[in-house]
Amino acid sequence: MQTKAVLTVSDVDAILAAARAEAIANNWAVSIAVVDDGGHLLGLVRLDNAAALSAYICQEKARTAALGRRESKVYEDMINGGRVSFLSAPVLQGMLEGGVPVVVDGQTVGAVGVSGVKSDQDAQIAKAGIAALG
């Protein structure tokens, strides 16, 4: 039987705090979600003035990154490159940049999704959150 790391409540708190700090430092109103490797929500924060829809989109971006075990941008690029049939993929609804997997010892243990600003800025915030894990 294999074993792997899992995100703890402390890990989720650290990710959310660091991601929130990155967003606030740039004056970006976003929503940030952290999910486990199955795409289940572990933590969510919607900053002041973030659009209500961003709270839904960030969760889907995170879920897509966790289940796909890669950044959600990969799917966006694939679709933009002409593989539009991928839009019919089941479960993956957040195929926009801004979902980033959390990888520990080569295994995806969860993901962070951000929505509310430009997609590369969403990804920047997600990566800042993940960096808090060390």
Side-chain angles (χ1 to χ4, degrees), residues 9 15 24 50-51 56 59-60 65 67-68 76 85 87 90 97-98 101 106 111 115:
V9 172
I15 291 168
I24 290 170
Y56 177 79
Q59 292 177 65
E60 293 304 321
L67 295 175
E76 180 179 11
S85 62
L87 288 168
E97 184 175 10
S115 179

Side-chain angles (χ1 to χ4, degrees), residues 71-115:
E71 288 195 38
S72 56
K73 182 181 183 338
V74 170
Y75 301 108
E76 180 179 11
D77 290 345
M78 206 180 334
I79 293 162
N80 289 342
R83 193 167 177 206
V84 294
S85 62
F86 207 83
L87 288 168
S88 66
V91 183
L92 303 181
Q93 297 178 24
M95 294 186 278
L96 304 164
E97 184 175 10
V100 181
V102 178
V103 180
V104 176
D105 296 329
Q107 301 226 355
T108 299
V109 298
V112 179
V114 179
S115 179

